[in-house]
Amino acid sequence: MTVIPAVSPDVFERTVAAYQAKHPGHPLTAGQVEQARALAMSEQPVETIVSIPGTGRSTMLELLACAVRASGGQVIGISPAQLSAHILAESLDGAPVYTLSRWLAERQQARSTGRSDAEFALGPGDVVIVHCPEILTPSEREELLQDAVDRGALVRLTAGR
């Protein structure tokens, strides 16, 4: 299954230039730009990136979030625990971040009651960034991925080594 990427090439390049102008003392590395580009412009509904600590993953995620928002999509961060949610929130430049249990409970309640809470809505062009996906149980992972993909949202899993 292929999808329309969350970010077009021209929007991504403008986002990189804007990010560089906003952070002149903190230049992006070629690896950060390429990883963010791959996640932003992929035609796959689910992508995974694995990196070791200290390689600039937080900066890369910030660039990705900026590019998605510049394209009109929303970014939602999901993490299995409160501590890692806090770490992810620092990377996503103001995007909402939830623990996995809260996100799944809110999405389940929305489906069962038919309510449409904009805070927990997903649609085409939205990107769900999942921090520490290796900690999720198989059923949690399946529920999260299926729910997002069913609504046309993209999922980007960011794992550490």
mmCIF file of all heavy atoms in Angstrom, residues 42-82:
data_model
loop_
_atom_site.group_PDB
_atom_site.id
_atom_site.type_symbol
_atom_site.label_atom_id
_atom_site.label_comp_id
_atom_site.label_asym_id
_atom_site.label_seq_id
_atom_site.Cartn_x
_atom_site.Cartn_y
_atom_site.Cartn_z
ATOM 1 N N SER A 42 8.139 9.823 2.266
ATOM 2 C CA SER A 42 7.914 8.409 1.964
ATOM 3 C C SER A 42 6.479 8.164 1.515
ATOM 4 O O SER A 42 5.542 8.789 2.012
ATOM 5 C CB SER A 42 8.193 7.563 3.211
ATOM 6 O OG SER A 42 7.794 6.226 2.982
ATOM 7 N N GLU A 43 6.316 7.236 0.602
ATOM 8 C CA GLU A 43 4.990 6.834 0.134
ATOM 9 C C GLU A 43 4.475 5.610 0.892
ATOM 10 O O GLU A 43 3.475 5.025 0.506
ATOM 11 C CB GLU A 43 5.043 6.552 -1.366
ATOM 12 C CG GLU A 43 5.339 7.790 -2.177
ATOM 13 C CD GLU A 43 5.407 7.520 -3.667
ATOM 14 O OE1 GLU A 43 5.361 6.347 -4.084
ATOM 15 O OE2 GLU A 43 5.517 8.506 -4.416
ATOM 16 N N GLN A 44 5.155 5.242 1.972
ATOM 17 C CA GLN A 44 4.736 4.104 2.792
ATOM 18 C C GLN A 44 3.966 4.615 4.012
ATOM 19 O O GLN A 44 4.353 5.613 4.619
ATOM 20 C CB GLN A 44 5.948 3.294 3.255
ATOM 21 C CG GLN A 44 6.736 2.696 2.110
ATOM 22 C CD GLN A 44 5.873 1.805 1.236
ATOM 23 O OE1 GLN A 44 5.157 0.933 1.723
ATOM 24 N NE2 GLN A 44 5.926 2.027 -0.077
ATOM 25 N N PRO A 45 2.894 3.931 4.395
ATOM 26 C CA PRO A 45 2.125 4.396 5.545
ATOM 27 C C PRO A 45 2.882 4.290 6.867
ATOM 28 O O PRO A 45 2.657 5.076 7.779
ATOM 29 C CB PRO A 45 0.883 3.504 5.548
ATOM 30 C CG PRO A 45 1.207 2.346 4.686
ATOM 31 C CD PRO A 45 2.286 2.771 3.747
ATOM 32 N N VAL A 46 3.801 3.340 6.951
ATOM 33 C CA VAL A 46 4.584 3.149 8.180
ATOM 34 C C VAL A 46 6.056 3.065 7.801
ATOM 35 O O VAL A 46 6.427 2.326 6.897
ATOM 36 C CB VAL A 46 4.159 1.861 8.929
ATOM 37 C CG1 VAL A 46 4.983 1.679 10.197
ATOM 38 C CG2 VAL A 46 2.671 1.883 9.250
ATOM 39 N N GLU A 47 6.865 3.836 8.493
ATOM 40 C CA GLU A 47 8.320 3.812 8.301
ATOM 41 C C GLU A 47 8.975 3.755 9.676
ATOM 42 O O GLU A 47 8.438 4.274 10.649
ATOM 43 C CB GLU A 47 8.811 5.079 7.591
ATOM 44 C CG GLU A 47 8.466 5.174 6.139
ATOM 45 C CD GLU A 47 9.364 4.332 5.231
ATOM 46 O OE1 GLU A 47 10.302 3.669 5.726
ATOM 47 O OE2 GLU A 47 9.108 4.339 4.023
ATOM 48 N N THR A 48 10.144 3.142 9.721
ATOM 49 C CA THR A 48 10.903 3.041 10.966
ATOM 50 C C THR A 48 12.290 3.607 10.759
ATOM 51 O O THR A 48 12.911 3.364 9.730
ATOM 52 C CB THR A 48 11.027 1.568 11.413
ATOM 53 O OG1 THR A 48 9.719 1.028 11.575
ATOM 54 C CG2 THR A 48 11.789 1.454 12.721
ATOM 55 N N ILE A 49 12.765 4.332 11.753
ATOM 56 C CA ILE A 49 14.141 4.807 11.737
ATOM 57 C C ILE A 49 14.776 4.385 13.060
ATOM 58 O O ILE A 49 14.186 4.540 14.117
ATOM 59 C CB ILE A 49 14.226 6.325 11.516
ATOM 60 C CG1 ILE A 49 15.665 6.725 11.308
ATOM 61 C CG2 ILE A 49 13.644 7.103 12.628
ATOM 62 C CD1 ILE A 49 15.867 7.546 10.092
ATOM 63 N N VAL A 50 15.954 3.795 12.980
ATOM 64 C CA VAL A 50 16.682 3.347 14.163
ATOM 65 C C VAL A 50 17.981 4.126 14.211
ATOM 66 O O VAL A 50 18.709 4.200 13.217
ATOM 67 C CB VAL A 50 16.969 1.830 14.096
ATOM 68 C CG1 VAL A 50 17.741 1.384 15.330
ATOM 69 C CG2 VAL A 50 15.671 1.047 13.956
ATOM 70 N N SER A 51 18.260 4.706 15.372
ATOM 71 C CA SER A 51 19.503 5.464 15.505
ATOM 72 C C SER A 51 20.024 5.336 16.924
ATOM 73 O O SER A 51 19.284 5.003 17.845
ATOM 74 C CB SER A 51 19.283 6.933 15.143
ATOM 75 O OG SER A 51 18.315 7.499 15.992
ATOM 76 N N ILE A 52 21.297 5.615 17.073
ATOM 77 C CA ILE A 52 21.895 5.562 18.397
ATOM 78 C C ILE A 52 21.798 6.939 19.049
ATOM 79 O O ILE A 52 21.721 7.957 18.347
ATOM 80 C CB ILE A 52 23.357 5.069 18.338
ATOM 81 C CG1 ILE A 52 24.218 5.972 17.445
ATOM 82 C CG2 ILE A 52 23.423 3.635 17.864
ATOM 83 C CD1 ILE A 52 25.683 5.627 17.465
ATOM 84 N N PRO A 53 21.769 6.998 20.367
ATOM 85 C CA PRO A 53 21.703 8.293 21.056
ATOM 86 C C PRO A 53 22.874 9.186 20.660
ATOM 87 O O PRO A 53 23.987 8.709 20.421
ATOM 88 C CB PRO A 53 21.775 7.907 22.539
ATOM 89 C CG PRO A 53 21.286 6.499 22.594
ATOM 90 C CD PRO A 53 21.742 5.871 21.304
ATOM 91 N N GLY A 54 22.580 10.468 20.564
ATOM 92 C CA GLY A 54 23.620 11.436 20.263
ATOM 93 C C GLY A 54 23.876 11.671 18.783
ATOM 94 O O GLY A 54 24.804 12.395 18.421
ATOM 95 N N THR A 55 23.055 11.086 17.922
ATOM 96 C CA THR A 55 23.277 11.249 16.482
ATOM 97 C C THR A 55 22.374 12.314 15.868
ATOM 98 O O THR A 55 22.334 12.456 14.652
ATOM 99 C CB THR A 55 23.068 9.913 15.741
ATOM 100 O OG1 THR A 55 21.744 9.441 15.996
ATOM 101 C CG2 THR A 55 24.080 8.877 16.184
ATOM 102 N N GLY A 56 21.626 13.046 16.682
ATOM 103 C CA GLY A 56 20.805 14.131 16.170
ATOM 104 C C GLY A 56 19.370 13.758 15.853
ATOM 105 O O GLY A 56 18.691 14.467 15.108
ATOM 106 N N ARG A 57 18.882 12.664 16.428
ATOM 107 C CA ARG A 57 17.510 12.236 16.160
ATOM 108 C C ARG A 57 16.498 13.295 16.609
ATOM 109 O O ARG A 57 15.519 13.550 15.914
ATOM 110 C CB ARG A 57 17.223 10.903 16.844
ATOM 111 C CG ARG A 57 15.811 10.411 16.601
ATOM 112 C CD ARG A 57 15.546 9.042 17.170
ATOM 113 N NE ARG A 57 16.043 8.915 18.515
ATOM 114 C CZ ARG A 57 16.108 7.791 19.200
ATOM 115 N NH1 ARG A 57 15.705 6.673 18.653
ATOM 116 N NH2 ARG A 57 16.569 7.761 20.424
ATOM 117 N N SER A 58 16.714 13.925 17.758
ATOM 118 C CA SER A 58 15.768 14.943 18.228
ATOM 119 C C SER A 58 15.676 16.111 17.252
ATOM 120 O O SER A 58 14.585 16.584 16.943
ATOM 121 C CB SER A 58 16.182 15.464 19.608
ATOM 122 O OG SER A 58 16.087 14.436 20.564
ATOM 123 N N THR A 59 16.809 16.561 16.740
ATOM 124 C CA THR A 59 16.817 17.645 15.764
ATOM 125 C C THR A 59 16.143 17.203 14.476
ATOM 126 O O THR A 59 15.360 17.951 13.872
ATOM 127 C CB THR A 59 18.260 18.101 15.486
ATOM 128 O OG1 THR A 59 18.827 18.557 16.721
ATOM 129 C CG2 THR A 59 18.312 19.209 14.459
ATOM 130 N N MET A 60 16.401 15.978 14.057
ATOM 131 C CA MET A 60 15.771 15.450 12.842
ATOM 132 C C MET A 60 14.255 15.403 13.007
ATOM 133 O O MET A 60 13.512 15.754 12.091
ATOM 134 C CB MET A 60 16.331 14.050 12.546
ATOM 135 C CG MET A 60 15.781 13.404 11.293
ATOM 136 S SD MET A 60 14.236 12.476 11.517
ATOM 137 C CE MET A 60 14.713 11.215 12.673
ATOM 138 N N LEU A 61 13.785 14.984 14.186
ATOM 139 C CA LEU A 61 12.338 14.931 14.430
ATOM 140 C C LEU A 61 11.726 16.329 14.455
ATOM 141 O O LEU A 61 10.608 16.532 13.983
ATOM 142 C CB LEU A 61 12.044 14.195 15.734
ATOM 143 C CG LEU A 61 12.302 12.699 15.715
ATOM 144 C CD1 LEU A 61 12.082 12.108 17.106
ATOM 145 C CD2 LEU A 61 11.447 11.996 14.681
ATOM 146 N N GLU A 62 12.456 17.288 14.986
ATOM 147 C CA GLU A 62 11.965 18.673 14.972
ATOM 148 C C GLU A 62 11.813 19.164 13.540
ATOM 149 O O GLU A 62 10.804 19.783 13.183
ATOM 150 C CB GLU A 62 12.913 19.579 15.750
ATOM 151 C CG GLU A 62 12.435 21.017 15.819
ATOM 152 C CD GLU A 62 13.375 21.918 16.593
ATOM 153 O OE1 GLU A 62 14.434 21.469 17.070
ATOM 154 O OE2 GLU A 62 13.050 23.115 16.706
ATOM 155 N N LEU A 63 12.787 18.877 12.695
ATOM 156 C CA LEU A 63 12.711 19.259 11.281
ATOM 157 C C LEU A 63 11.528 18.571 10.602
ATOM 158 O O LEU A 63 10.773 19.204 9.854
ATOM 159 C CB LEU A 63 14.021 18.906 10.566
ATOM 160 C CG LEU A 63 14.074 19.195 9.070
ATOM 161 C CD1 LEU A 63 13.881 20.687 8.792
ATOM 162 C CD2 LEU A 63 15.405 18.696 8.503
ATOM 163 N N LEU A 64 11.337 17.281 10.865
ATOM 164 C CA LEU A 64 10.207 16.550 10.309
ATOM 165 C C LEU A 64 8.884 17.191 10.732
ATOM 166 O O LEU A 64 8.000 17.425 9.903
ATOM 167 C CB LEU A 64 10.250 15.088 10.755
ATOM 168 C CG LEU A 64 9.033 14.223 10.416
ATOM 169 C CD1 LEU A 64 8.820 14.139 8.910
ATOM 170 C CD2 LEU A 64 9.198 12.838 11.043
ATOM 171 N N ALA A 65 8.748 17.501 12.010
ATOM 172 C CA ALA A 65 7.512 18.113 12.514
ATOM 173 C C ALA A 65 7.257 19.470 11.854
ATOM 174 O O ALA A 65 6.120 19.774 11.462
ATOM 175 C CB ALA A 65 7.576 18.261 14.035
ATOM 176 N N CYS A 66 8.297 20.257 11.697
ATOM 177 C CA CYS A 66 8.145 21.561 11.033
ATOM 178 C C CYS A 66 7.677 21.388 9.591
ATOM 179 O O CYS A 66 6.806 22.126 9.117
ATOM 180 C CB CYS A 66 9.466 22.333 11.071
ATOM 181 S SG CYS A 66 9.955 22.930 12.698
ATOM 182 N N ALA A 67 8.227 20.413 8.889
ATOM 183 C CA ALA A 67 7.859 20.183 7.486
ATOM 184 C C ALA A 67 6.415 19.716 7.366
ATOM 185 O O ALA A 67 5.679 20.163 6.479
ATOM 186 C CB ALA A 67 8.807 19.168 6.859
ATOM 187 N N VAL A 68 5.988 18.830 8.258
ATOM 188 C CA VAL A 68 4.603 18.337 8.217
ATOM 189 C C VAL A 68 3.634 19.487 8.475
ATOM 190 O O VAL A 68 2.643 19.651 7.760
ATOM 191 C CB VAL A 68 4.396 17.193 9.228
ATOM 192 C CG1 VAL A 68 2.913 16.838 9.373
ATOM 193 C CG2 VAL A 68 5.205 15.971 8.820
ATOM 194 N N ARG A 69 3.919 20.310 9.470
ATOM 195 C CA ARG A 69 3.037 21.446 9.762
ATOM 196 C C ARG A 69 3.042 22.452 8.612
ATOM 197 O O ARG A 69 2.007 23.031 8.287
ATOM 198 C CB ARG A 69 3.430 22.102 11.083
ATOM 199 C CG ARG A 69 2.968 21.290 12.285
ATOM 200 C CD ARG A 69 3.040 22.083 13.569
ATOM 201 N NE ARG A 69 4.399 22.443 13.905
ATOM 202 C CZ ARG A 69 5.219 21.709 14.662
ATOM 203 N NH1 ARG A 69 4.807 20.590 15.195
ATOM 204 N NH2 ARG A 69 6.436 22.109 14.922
ATOM 205 N N ALA A 70 4.197 22.654 7.967
ATOM 206 C CA ALA A 70 4.261 23.569 6.823
ATOM 207 C C ALA A 70 3.414 23.068 5.656
ATOM 208 O O ALA A 70 2.978 23.851 4.824
ATOM 209 C CB ALA A 70 5.718 23.751 6.375
ATOM 210 N N SER A 71 3.159 21.770 5.626
ATOM 211 C CA SER A 71 2.315 21.175 4.581
ATOM 212 C C SER A 71 0.849 21.135 4.971
ATOM 213 O O SER A 71 0.023 20.642 4.206
ATOM 214 C CB SER A 71 2.793 19.749 4.280
ATOM 215 O OG SER A 71 4.050 19.787 3.675
ATOM 216 N N GLY A 72 0.535 21.610 6.170
ATOM 217 C CA GLY A 72 -0.860 21.636 6.615
ATOM 218 C C GLY A 72 -1.293 20.433 7.426
ATOM 219 O O GLY A 72 -2.452 20.339 7.834
ATOM 220 N N GLY A 73 -0.399 19.502 7.687
ATOM 221 C CA GLY A 73 -0.729 18.339 8.506
ATOM 222 C C GLY A 73 -0.465 18.602 9.973
ATOM 223 O O GLY A 73 0.222 19.563 10.329
ATOM 224 N N GLN A 74 -1.019 17.747 10.796
ATOM 225 C CA GLN A 74 -0.720 17.840 12.218
ATOM 226 C C GLN A 74 0.253 16.730 12.596
ATOM 227 O O GLN A 74 0.306 15.688 11.951
ATOM 228 C CB GLN A 74 -1.983 17.785 13.074
ATOM 229 C CG GLN A 74 -2.614 16.429 13.202
ATOM 230 C CD GLN A 74 -3.714 16.407 14.252
ATOM 231 O OE1 GLN A 74 -3.694 17.173 15.224
ATOM 232 N NE2 GLN A 74 -4.672 15.534 14.074
ATOM 233 N N VAL A 75 1.028 16.984 13.621
ATOM 234 C CA VAL A 75 1.984 16.014 14.150
ATOM 235 C C VAL A 75 1.511 15.630 15.537
ATOM 236 O O VAL A 75 1.167 16.501 16.349
ATOM 237 C CB VAL A 75 3.403 16.616 14.223
ATOM 238 C CG1 VAL A 75 4.372 15.654 14.867
ATOM 239 C CG2 VAL A 75 3.870 17.037 12.848
ATOM 240 N N ILE A 76 1.495 14.335 15.804
ATOM 241 C CA ILE A 76 1.127 13.833 17.122
ATOM 242 C C ILE A 76 2.231 12.897 17.567
ATOM 243 O O ILE A 76 2.643 12.005 16.816
ATOM 244 C CB ILE A 76 -0.218 13.087 17.072
ATOM 245 C CG1 ILE A 76 -1.267 14.055 16.612
ATOM 246 C CG2 ILE A 76 -0.525 12.413 18.387
ATOM 247 C CD1 ILE A 76 -2.661 13.761 16.850
ATOM 248 N N GLY A 77 2.712 13.098 18.766
ATOM 249 C CA GLY A 77 3.729 12.225 19.331
ATOM 250 C C GLY A 77 3.097 11.219 20.275
ATOM 251 O O GLY A 77 2.197 11.563 21.040
ATOM 252 N N ILE A 78 3.576 9.987 20.205
ATOM 253 C CA ILE A 78 3.094 8.913 21.073
ATOM 254 C C ILE A 78 4.322 8.230 21.677
ATOM 255 O O ILE A 78 5.280 7.928 20.965
ATOM 256 C CB ILE A 78 2.299 7.845 20.280
ATOM 257 C CG1 ILE A 78 1.175 8.466 19.479
ATOM 258 C CG2 ILE A 78 1.809 6.733 21.208
ATOM 259 C CD1 ILE A 78 0.006 8.947 20.272
ATOM 260 N N SER A 79 4.251 7.990 22.968
ATOM 261 C CA SER A 79 5.343 7.308 23.640
ATOM 262 C C SER A 79 4.772 6.361 24.692
ATOM 263 O O SER A 79 3.720 6.643 25.269
ATOM 264 C CB SER A 79 6.246 8.352 24.306
ATOM 265 O OG SER A 79 7.450 7.772 24.705
ATOM 266 N N PRO A 80 5.442 5.239 24.949
ATOM 267 C CA PRO A 80 4.882 4.268 25.870
ATOM 268 C C PRO A 80 4.842 4.718 27.331
ATOM 269 O O PRO A 80 4.042 4.214 28.106
ATOM 270 C CB PRO A 80 5.774 3.042 25.716
ATOM 271 C CG PRO A 80 6.871 3.400 24.821
ATOM 272 C CD PRO A 80 6.636 4.755 24.279
ATOM 273 N N ALA A 81 5.685 5.656 27.713
ATOM 274 C CA ALA A 81 5.761 6.065 29.122
ATOM 275 C C ALA A 81 5.862 7.579 29.233
ATOM 276 O O ALA A 81 6.271 8.259 28.287
ATOM 277 C CB ALA A 81 6.973 5.417 29.785
ATOM 278 N N GLN A 82 5.498 8.104 30.391
ATOM 279 C CA GLN A 82 5.498 9.549 30.614
ATOM 280 C C GLN A 82 6.887 10.156 30.436
ATOM 281 O O GLN A 82 7.021 11.211 29.835
ATOM 282 C CB GLN A 82 4.945 9.868 32.004
ATOM 283 C CG GLN A 82 4.688 11.341 32.226
ATOM 284 C CD GLN A 82 3.644 11.910 31.273
ATOM 285 O OE1 GLN A 82 2.614 11.293 31.029
ATOM 286 N NE2 GLN A 82 3.892 13.071 30.730
#
